[in-house]
C-alpha cells in the first residue's frame, strides 16, 4: 500500500463527536466514567479506552467576538516517530508502510513512562489490565481491508479525510492558504495525521510541532541556535498540553 | 419544509433563527455548508452563541420571545428602503387587496386588532377571542375583491403592512430584543439583498420559533418577509421547518394531532351533523376562474378517507356518523389533556412511543396528573419516567392506584415502513433485525388491540358497536376466524395511496375495481375511490412502491433528484413553484430554475397545478394554488390572533410592560393560571423579583428526545453525563457560581438540580436601562437513569448513571394561541448555588 494519511480540516469540524464514538465502536473500547465539569468536553483526557477525543476551547476575543474551536486530539503518526525511537524492543512499535505507527503485543514489556514521555503530544496510554500500550492505530485493520478509518467514515462534515499522503497534504495546504492569517499546517509535513489549523497551535492549546524532532533525529541541526530555541518551544508546548485544563 | 434539505445548497442567504441546525441537524447542515462554499451568507440569530453562530458570517443575539419584534423591524427596513420584489408582491400576493375600512391595527387600538372580545386586567385583555368580521376584504358588486395594483391605497394590505410595522423602529426593536442596533442592521441588510429577482434567501427554523405563545405568528412574520422578497417557490428559498424527530413530518401528515385527520383534513365537529355539513364547512369556494382553489376538492379526499375507514358496504353518511365529533371550540391538545387528567376527568391513557413525564411542559403537573388515572398503557423500548412515574421523586407508591402496563415494542430498525423527512420525502426503510423477546411492532400491537376490542364489542351489549365492528381492516393475512394475523406494512402503504373500489371511467379511461389510484387528482367524491391520506396518493401505485425508489439522476441540476424516494404532493420537490417564474413561465432566477415553460410544457419540477403560465392566453392559475384566492397571504386572516403578527411579551417575561402597546401578552392564549387562580401546579411568575432570569431550553447532539434511548448508552453518557445549565460569566460571578458547581434552578413550578456551565456564549441583554440575563438547559435527562433512585431486583441499571431530571420541571404549561404548543423556550427562573 502507498503511504496514506488522515487530513483533519479543523475549519469544518463541528464537534459532533461522531468520530469519538466511531473510534470506540470499531475498536470496541469501553466508555470512561466521566462527570460534568461544566464543559461539553468529555472524557477529560485520552485513555486506554479513548484514542480520539475532541477538545473544546472557547475564548472571548478582544473585539468582543467569540472564538469557539474544536480539535480532534489523537496520535500524529510521526515520521520518524519519537515513541518508536524510545522503544527498546524493535518489534514493539513499528511504522507500517501506510504510515501508521503501530503499538504491538510487545509494548507490554516496555517501560510505559519512557514511551509516554518520548511522545511530544502525550498520546500513549497503558491498558491497566493487559499492560499493553495503546493509541490510535490509524485503523490499520480497516484500511488494509479496503475500508476507510472508522472515524473518517462517521464524520458528518467531511472534516476527516483519508487518502494518499501527497493528496492529503495538498488538500491541507490548500485549506491553509484559503484560511490565511494564522492558519497553519499542523504538526508538519512529516506526519501521517495532519491538520489544517485555522489558528496557531498555541491558540488551540496544543503542543507545537516539535522541531525537537528534527533536532534529535535528523542530526543536521545539532546544537544550532535554531535547534535550541525550537527545543524550548517544543517543551513549553508540551508542558502546556499536560497541565492545561481546557473548556 | 416548502423546499427540501438538498435545496438549501441553492440559497444565497440562509437565516437560522429558532434553530441551531449545526448541532441538532448535523447531517442536513452539510447542505448549508455547500451553499456557504458557493458564496452564500449564513446568519444566526439566537439568544445564545451556538455552534451555528460559530459558522455564521453574521450573528445577532436576541432575548428569547422577541422574534416578531426582530423580524417586524426587518419588514420595516425592507419596505422603507424599497428592497422588496415589486412585481412578485403585486402579482403573487394579496398586497394589493383592499381591506375592510373598519379594520383596526393594534397601533390604533390599544395593542389589539379590531374585533377582540375578552376580559381585561392591568396587563390588557386575556382569554380573548376575535370576531374576525373586520379582518376581511372590500368586494365589488359582483363579489370580487377590490384591488389597487399600484399598492398606494391607504386601505391596501401593502399600506396597512407599512403602517403596522412603522412602529417597529430600530430603537424600539433594540430595546425590546436586546440586540444592538448595528447587529440588527447587519442582519436586515444581508437578508434583504435576496429581494432581487434572481437571488433567494431561506429560513431554517425549529422549536425555537414554535414553542412560544406567539409561535405561529413567529413563522407568519417570516412568511411575510419571504413573500416581500419573492423567496417562496424558489430554489434556495421557502419556509423550512427542521423537524425534531425523524418522522414527525410523517406522523403529522397522517393526522397525529387532535384537530386534523390524515392529509390535513379537519376533525369532525359536533355542529357538523351530516357528511355534507362537514364537507360544506371545509370546502372553499372561489368565483375567480384564475384561482385553482385546491380545497374545492375537499369532498373527494374526505369521501376517499371514509371508504378507507369503513369500506364500500358502509354509506359515506354512515361512515361519517361513526366518527367521534369534537365539541365546537373545545381543544384536546396535550396541555388540555393533562389538565383534564389533573381534574380526574380522564381515567385511562395510552402513552405510545413517548415519555410524557419528561417530554411535556410542566412535568410536575404531568406526573401528578398520572396519579389520577385508573390505568395507563405505555408502549416503549425501555422502562422510563412515565411507566415508572409512581415511584419517581416525591411519589408514594402506596398511595397510587394507577395500574400500569408496559408493552415492549420494536425500534425503528426492527420493523419495515416509511419515514417522511423534513423535506416531505417519504423514504422506505427495511427491517434490519427482529425485535428482541416479546417486543413487536406498534402496528402489530394495535392489531391485537383491535382484535380484542372487536371481540368485546361483539360479545357484550354495547350502545354503539358499529364504529368498531365495521371498521375496515385489510392490512395483512387472515387467520381462520378472519382476524389479521400480523400487519403487512406494504399493504398499509397501499391503503394509504388508495384504490378504485369500483370500476370507474374518468375522462374516457377505464380504471378497474381493485386498481391502485395513480394519484390524488383521480380521487372521487362519489365513493368510488379510497385513500387513507390523500396527499400520499401517488406514493404506491400499480408501478410499485415509489418511496422505495433510489434513482440518483438529477436532470434539473438543482438537486431535485425526482427518482429518489417520493415526495408529497405528486412528487413535487418545491411547493408553490409556480411563484418561481414570471407570468410567461420564465424563471426569475434562470441559473437555478425550478420550473420553466418551454415548447408548451413545464420542464423541471412537477409544476404546481399543471396549467400553463398566466400570460399564455390559455386557461391558467395563480401561483398559490391551495389558497382560495390563489395568492400568498401577507394579510392572513386565518390565524386566531391577528392578520399581521404583533409583538407581545412571553407569558413569563422580565418586563411588566410591552414597549409597543398597552397589551402585555398575546390576548388569545389559554390561561390555565388565571382561570385556576394561579395555584402552584399551574403557576406563572412574570416580572417577579423571585425569578429575575430568563431561561430557555434546547437539545444536545449526544442525546435523543427525553433520552429514553440514549441515556442507556455508555458512549453517549460518557460525553454528556449531566444536566448542565449554561450561565454567562457575569451572572455566575454575581451569584458566586463557579464552573462545575451544583446549582438549583427554580421556576414558579419547580426546582431542578444541574451542573453550572459558565460560558462566554451567554451574554446579558440590555433592555431599556437594565441588563437582563438569560440561561439555558438541555432537554433529554430524567430521574430513571440516575444514581439517586432505587433500583429493584428486576430493574436494569445503566452502566453509567446520568445526573439530573427533566428540564420540563421548570417549563410552563402555557401554549401558543393557534397550536397550543407550550412556551418552553421562554420562562423565568432563579439560580442558587447548592449548599
Ligand atoms: S504522536 Fe506520539 S505516539 Fe503517535 S507516533 Fe508520534 S510519538 Fe508516537
Ligand atoms: S483512525 Fe481508527 S483508531 Fe485512529 S482515531 Fe480514527 S477510528 Fe480511532
Ligand atoms: S466527526 Fe468530524 S465534524 Fe464531528 S467531531 Fe469528528 S472531526 Fe469534527
Amino acid at each position: 500500500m502507498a503511504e496514506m494519511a488522515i487530513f483533519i480540516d479543523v475549519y469544518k469540524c463541528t464537534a459532533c463527536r461522531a468520530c469519538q464514538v466511531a473510534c470506540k465502536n470499531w475498536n470496541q473500547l469501553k466508555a470512561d466514567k466521566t462527570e460534568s465539569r461544566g464543559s461539553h468536553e468529555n472524557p477529560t483526557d485520552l485513555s486506554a479506552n479513548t484514542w480520539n477525543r475532541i477538545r473544546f476551547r472557547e475564548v472571548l476575543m478582544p473585539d468582543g467576538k467569540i472564538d469557539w474551536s474544536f480539535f480532534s486530539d489523537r496520535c500524529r503518526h510521526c515520521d520518524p516517530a519519537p515513541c518508536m525511537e524510545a522503544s527498546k524492543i524493535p518489534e514493539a512499535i513499528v511504522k507500517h508502510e501506510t504510515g501508521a505507527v503501530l503499538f504491538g503485543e510487545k509494548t507490554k514489556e516496555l517501560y510505559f513512562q519512557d514511551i509516554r514521555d518520548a511522545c511530544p503530544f502525550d498520546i500513549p496510554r497503558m491498558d491497566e489490565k493487559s499492560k499493553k500500550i495503546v493509541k490510535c492505530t490509524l485503523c490499520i485493520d480497516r484500511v488494509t481491508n479496503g475500508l476507510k478509518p472508522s472515524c473518517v467514515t462517521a464524520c458528518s462534515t467531511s472534516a476527516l479525510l483519508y487518502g494518499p499522503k501527497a493528496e492529503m497534504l495538498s488538500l491541507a495546504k490548500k485549506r491553509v492558504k484559503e484560511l490565511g492569517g494564522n492558519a497553519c499546517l499542523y504538526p508538519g509535513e512529516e506526519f501521517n495525521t495532519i491538520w489544517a489549523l485555522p489558528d496557531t497551535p498555541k491558540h488551540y492549546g496544543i503542543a507545537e510541532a516539535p522541531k525537537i524532532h528534527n533536532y534529535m533525529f535528523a542530526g543536521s541541526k545539532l546544537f544550532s541556535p535554531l535547534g535550541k530555541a525550537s527545543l524550548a518551544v517544543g517543551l513549553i508546548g508540551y508542558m502546556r498540553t499536560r497541565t492545561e485544563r481546557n473548556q | 419544509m416548502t423546499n427540501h434539505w438538498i435545496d438549501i445548497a441553492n440559497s444565497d442567504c440562509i437565516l437560522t433563527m429558532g434553530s441551531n441546525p449545526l448541532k441538532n441537524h448535523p447531517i442536513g447542515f452539510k447542505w448549508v455548508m455547500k451553499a456557504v462554499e458557493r458564496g452564500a451568507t449564513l446568519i444566526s440569530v439566537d439568544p445564545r452563541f451556538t455552534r451555528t453562530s460559530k459558522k455564521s458570517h453574521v450573528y445577532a443575539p436576541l432575548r428569547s420571545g422577541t422574534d416578531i419584534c426582530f423580524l417586524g423591524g426587518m419588514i420595516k427596513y425592507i419596505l422603507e428602503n424599497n428592497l422588496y420584489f415589486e412585481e412578485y408582491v403585486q402579482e403573487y400576493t394579496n398586497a394589493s387587496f383592499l381591506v375592510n375600512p373598519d379594520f383596526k391595527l393594534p397601533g390604533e387600538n390599544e395593542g389589539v386588532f379590531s374585533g377582540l372580545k375578552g376580559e381585561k386586567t392591568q396587563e390588557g385583555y386575556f382569554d380573548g377571542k376575535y370576531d374576525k368580521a373586520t379582518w376581511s376584504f372590500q368586494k365589488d358588486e359582483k363579489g370580487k375583491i377590490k384591488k389597487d395594483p399600484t399598492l398606494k391605497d391607504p386601505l391596501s394590505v401593502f399600506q396597512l403592512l407599512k403602517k403596522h410595522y412603522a412602529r417597529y423602529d430600530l430603537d424600539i426593536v433594540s430595546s425590546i430584543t436586546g440586540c444592538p442596533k448595528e447587529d440588527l442592521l447587519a442582519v436586515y441588510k444581508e437578508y434583504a439583498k435576496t429581494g432581487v429577482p434572481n437571488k433567494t434567501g431561506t429560513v431554517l427554523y425549529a422549536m425555537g420559533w414554535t414553542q412560544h405563545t406567539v409561535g405561529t405568528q413567529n413563522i407568519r412574520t417570516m412568511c411575510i418577509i419571504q413573500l416581500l422578497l419573492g423567496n417562496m417557490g424558489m430554489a434556495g428559498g421557502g419556509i423550512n421547518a427542521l423537524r425534531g424527530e425523524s418522522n414527525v413530518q410523517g406522523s403529522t401528515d397522517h393526522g397525529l394531532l387532535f384537530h386534523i385527520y390524515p392529509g390535513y383534513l379537519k376533525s369532525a365537529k359536533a355542529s357538523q351533523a351530516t357528511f355534507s355539513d362537514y364537507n360544506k364547512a371545509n370546502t372553499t369556494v372561489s368565483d375567480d376562474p384564475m384561482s385553482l382553489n385546491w380545497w374545492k376538492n375537499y369532498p373527494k379526499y374526505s369521501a376517499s378517507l371514509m371508504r378507507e375507514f369503513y369500506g364500500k358496504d358502509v354509506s359515506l353518511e354512515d361512515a361519517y356518523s361513526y366518527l367521534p365529533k369534537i365539541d365546537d371550540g373545545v381543544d384536546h391538545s396535550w396541555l388540555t389533556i393533562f389538565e383534564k387528567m389533573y381534574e380526574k376527568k380522564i381515567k385511562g391513557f395510552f402513552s405510545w412511543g413517548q415519555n410524557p413525564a419528561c417530554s411535556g411542559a410542566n412535568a410536575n403537573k404531568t406526573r401528578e396528573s398520572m396519579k389520577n388515572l385508573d390505568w395507563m398503557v405505555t408502549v416503549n423500548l425501555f422502562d422510563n419516567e412515565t411507566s415508572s412515574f409512581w415511584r419517581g421523586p416525591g411519589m408514594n407508591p402506596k398511595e397510587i392506584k394507577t395500574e400500569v402496563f408496559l408493552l415492549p415494542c420494536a425500534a425503528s430498525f426492527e420493523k419495515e415502513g416509511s419515514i417522511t423527512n423534513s423535506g416531505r420525502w417519504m423514504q422506505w426503510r427495511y427491517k434490519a433485525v427482529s425485535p428482541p423477546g416479546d417486543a413487536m411492532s406498534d402496528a402489530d400491537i394495535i392489531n391485537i388491540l383491535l382484535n380484542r376490542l372487536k371481540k368485546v364489542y361483539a360479545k357484550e351489549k354495547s350502545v354503539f358497536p358499529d364504529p368498531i365492528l365495521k371498521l375496515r381492516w385489510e392490512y395483512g393475512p387472515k387467520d381462520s376466524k378472519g382476524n389479521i394475523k400480523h400487519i403487512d406494512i406494504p399493504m398499509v402503504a397501499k391503503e394509504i395511496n388508495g384504490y378504485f373500489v369500483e370500476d370507474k371511467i374518468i375522462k374516457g379511461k377505464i380504471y378497474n375495481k381493485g386498481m391502485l389510484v395513480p394519484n390524488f387528482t383521480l380521487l372521487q367524491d362519489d365513493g368510488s375511490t379510497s385513500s387513507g391520506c390523500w396527499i400520499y396518493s401517488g406514493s404506491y401505485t400499480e408501478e410499485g412502491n415509489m418511496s422505495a425508489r433510489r434513482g440518483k439522476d438529477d436532470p434539473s441540476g438543482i438537486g431535485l433528484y425526482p427518482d429518489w424516494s417520493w415526495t408529497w404532493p405528486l412528487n413535487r420537490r418545491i411547493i408553490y413553484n409556480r411563484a418561481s417564474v414570471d407570468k410567461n413561465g420564465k424563471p426569475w432566477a434562470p441559473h437555478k430554475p425550478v420550473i420553466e415553460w418551454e415548447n408548451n410544457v413545464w420542464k423541471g419540477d412537477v409544476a404546481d397545478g399543471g396549467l400553463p403560465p398566466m400570460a399564455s392566453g390559455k386557461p391558467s392559475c395563480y401561483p398559490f394554488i391551495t389558497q382560495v384566492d390563489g395568492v400568498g397571504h401577507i394579510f392572513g386572516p386565518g390565524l386566531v390572533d391577528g392578520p399581521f403578527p404583533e409583538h407581545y411579551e412571553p407569558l413569563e417575561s422580565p418586563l411588566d410592560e410591552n414597549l409597543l402597546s398597552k397589551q402585555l401578552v398575546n390576548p388569545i392564549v389559554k390561561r390555565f393560571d388565571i382561570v385556576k387562580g394561579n395555584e402552584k401546579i399551574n403557576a406563572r411568575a412574570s416580572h417577579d423579583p423571585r425569578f429575575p432570569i430568563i431561561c430557555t431550553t434546547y437539545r444536545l447532539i449526544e442525546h435523543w428526545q427525553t433520552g429514553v434511548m440514549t441515556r442507556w448508552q455508555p458512549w453517549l453518557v460518557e460525553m454528556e453525563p449531566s444536566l448542565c445549565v449554561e450561565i454567562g460569566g457575569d451572572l455566575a460571578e454575581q451569584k458566586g457560581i463557579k464552573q462545575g458547581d451544583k446549582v438549583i434552578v427554580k421556576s414558579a413550578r419547580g426546582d431542578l438540580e444541574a451542573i453550572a456551565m459558565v460560558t462566554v456564549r451567554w451574554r446579558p441583554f440590555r433592555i431599556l436601562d437594565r441588563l437582563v440575563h438569560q440561561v439555558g438547559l438541555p432537554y433529554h435527562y430524567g430521574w430513571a437513569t440516575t444514581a439517586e433512585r432505587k433500583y429493584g431486583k428486576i430493574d436494569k441499571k445503566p452502566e453509567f448513571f446520568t445526573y439530573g431530571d427533566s428540564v420540563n420541571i421548570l417549563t410552563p404549561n402555557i401554549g401558543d394561541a393557534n397550536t397550543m404548543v407550550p412556551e418552553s423556550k421562554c420562562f423565568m427562573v432563579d439560580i442558587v448555588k447548592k449548599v
Side-chain angles (χ1 to χ4, degrees), chain B residues 79-311:
Chain B
L79 294 176
E80 285 182 359
N81 295 293
N82 288 321
L83 299 169
Y84 56 95
F85 182 173
E86 200 172 344
E87 193 179 341
Y88 189 106
V89 170
Q90 276 169 345
E91 302 285 347
Y92 293 173
T93 77
N94 64 10
S96 61
F97 291 20
L98 302 188
V99 175
N100 187 328
D102 295 331
F103 171 73
K104 281 205 183 72
L105 290 164
E108 54 202 15
N109 195 38
E110 298 198 327
V112 298
F113 295 91
S114 47
L116 185 70
K117 308 253 180 313
E119 292 179 55
K120 209 171 172 186
T121 64
Q122 264 183 336
E123 297 179 344
Y125 296 91
F126 74 93
D127 259 345
K129 195 172 177 342
Y130 276 111
D131 170 355
K132 296 189 192 172
T134 58
W135 306 5
S136 54
F137 299 118
Q138 301 178 33
K139 293 195 173 153
D140 64 16
E141 319 75 58
K142 285 191 201 130
K144 264 190 107 177
I145 294 169
K146 285 195 198 168
K147 298 176 191 175
D148 172 23
T150 67
L151 309 180
K152 297 224 167 75
D153 191 303
L155 288 175
S156 66
V157 165
F158 189 79
Q159 291 302 329
L160 289 174
L161 182 79
K162 221 172 179 173
K163 188 168 162 194
H164 180 55
Y165 289 108
R167 295 151 62 222
Y168 290 63
D169 63 50
L170 272 187
D171 287 312
I172 199 126
V173 172
S174 180
S175 302
I176 291 176
T177 59
C179 182
K181 282 193 241 176
E182 59 273 19
D183 292 348
L184 288 170
L185 272 175
V187 175
Y188 297 170
K189 211 170 129 202
E190 280 307 323
Y191 201 76
K193 282 182 189 164
T194 66
V196 295
N198 64 357
K199 283 215 185 311
T200 49
T202 186
V203 59
L204 309 181
Y205 77 89
M207 265 67 102
W209 266 1
T210 56
Q211 292 178 351
H212 291 280
T213 41
V214 292
T216 314
Q217 295 285 13
N218 282 336
I219 299 153
R220 267 280 298 151
T221 325
M222 196 64 208
C223 293
I224 293 174
I225 292 174
Q226 291 297 67
L227 288 171
L228 288 175
L229 299 173
N231 285 331
M232 294 307 292
M234 304 279 289
I239 291 277
N240 296 307
L242 311 181
R243 301 307 194 165
E245 205 277 339
S246 49
N247 201 19
V248 94
Q249 180 71 50
S251 55
T252 320
D253 294 344
H254 288 287
L256 176 83
L257 301 170
F258 77 95
H259 66 297
I260 46 171
Y261 293 157
Y264 301 93
L265 301 182
K266 301 273 170 36
S267 297
K269 287 186 188 164
S271 61
Q272 297 155 355
T274 65
F275 192 44
S276 62
D277 291 345
Y278 169 77
N279 280 333
K280 207 173 154 208
N282 295 306
T283 308
T284 51
V285 183
S286 166
D287 296 335
D288 190 336
M290 282 289 281
S291 172
L292 215 47
N293 178 27
W294 202 264
W295 285 109
K296 70 177 177 238
N297 298 308
Y298 197 96
K300 299 176 184 168
Y301 310 144
S302 57
S304 298
L305 187 65
M306 295 308 116
R307 281 287 181 256
E308 155 57 22
F309 282 173
Y310 288 103

Side-chain angles (χ1 to χ4, degrees), chain A residues 11 14-17 21 24-25 29 31-34 36-40 42-43 56 58 64 66 68 70, chain B residues 22 49-51 54-55 701-702 714-715 718-722 724 726 739-740 756-757 759-761 763 800:
Chain A
Y11 165 77
T14 61
C16 77
R17 295 195 277 192
V21 177
K24 297 206 172 211
N25 192 2
L29 303 173
D32 285 323
K33 187 162 169 41
T34 57
S36 177
R37 305 161 297 150
S39 157
H40 290 294
N42 245 329
F56 290 59
E58 56 179 58
I66 293 166
W68 197 11
F70 316 116
Chain B
L22 189 148
F49 187 88
T50 66
R51 298 220 190 148
K54 168 182 152 67
K55 279 274 179 240
I701 197 170
E702 291 79 5
W715 289 333
E718 171 193 59
M719 292 189 284
E720 294 288 358
S722 313
C724 289
E726 289 186 303
Q739 190 76 287
M757 186 181 285
T759 172
V760 299
R761 291 174 286 103
R763 278 183 282 178
F800 293 131

Side-chain angles (χ1 to χ4, degrees), chain A residues 6 23 27 51-52 74 136-139 149-151:
Chain A
I6 283 184
C23 179
N27 294 300
W51 301 350
N52 164 37
R74 50 171 79 198
C136 160
T137 67
L138 216 67
C139 277
S150 180
C151 54

